[in-house]
Amino acid sequence: MAIKICIDVLLAQRKMSVTELSQKVGITMANLSILKNEKARAIRFSTLEKLCEVLDCQPGDILVYEKDDLKN
């Protein structure tokens, strides 16, 4: 996957638990886990906005593009 989700890094920097983030953002632990473990196929802008608000960051701090090393 070329898009990486860096929620773990942001949580560690802010000394915040996944449970606390889940409660503040208003999403289930299951959905946050899907995001955190990079299993998500999409993210709503409203969820991204709330994550940015709670984590006091920009979308680019959460979503990072990394070029795939696979050659066709």
Side-chain angles (χ1 to χ4, degrees):
M1 179 182 238
I3 302 293
K4 302 292 181 186
I5 301 175
C6 303
I7 292 176
D8 282 336
V9 173
L10 294 168
L11 286 173
Q13 290 172 344
R14 285 146 181 82
K15 296 178 175 62
M16 185 183 295
S17 71
V18 176
T19 303
E20 184 180 358
L21 180 62
S22 170
Q23 292 169 348
K24 288 183 176 185
V25 173
I27 62 175
T28 65
M29 286 290 293
N31 284 337
L32 186 55
S33 178
I34 288 168
L35 280 174
K36 202 169 89 56
N37 294 318
E38 299 179 1
K39 302 293 184 197
R41 305 287 291 161
I43 184 170
R44 291 181 180 197
F45 280 134
S46 59
T47 302
L48 183 58
E49 181 180 357
K50 191 67 177 172
L51 284 167
C52 288
E53 179 184 323
V54 170
L55 294 171
D56 190 28
C57 66
Q58 294 295 311
D61 297 327
I62 296 172
L63 304 173
V64 179
Y65 173 76
E66 291 183 3
K67 196 173 207 173
D68 285 335
D69 290 334
L70 302 175
K71 294 183 181 181
N72 294 333

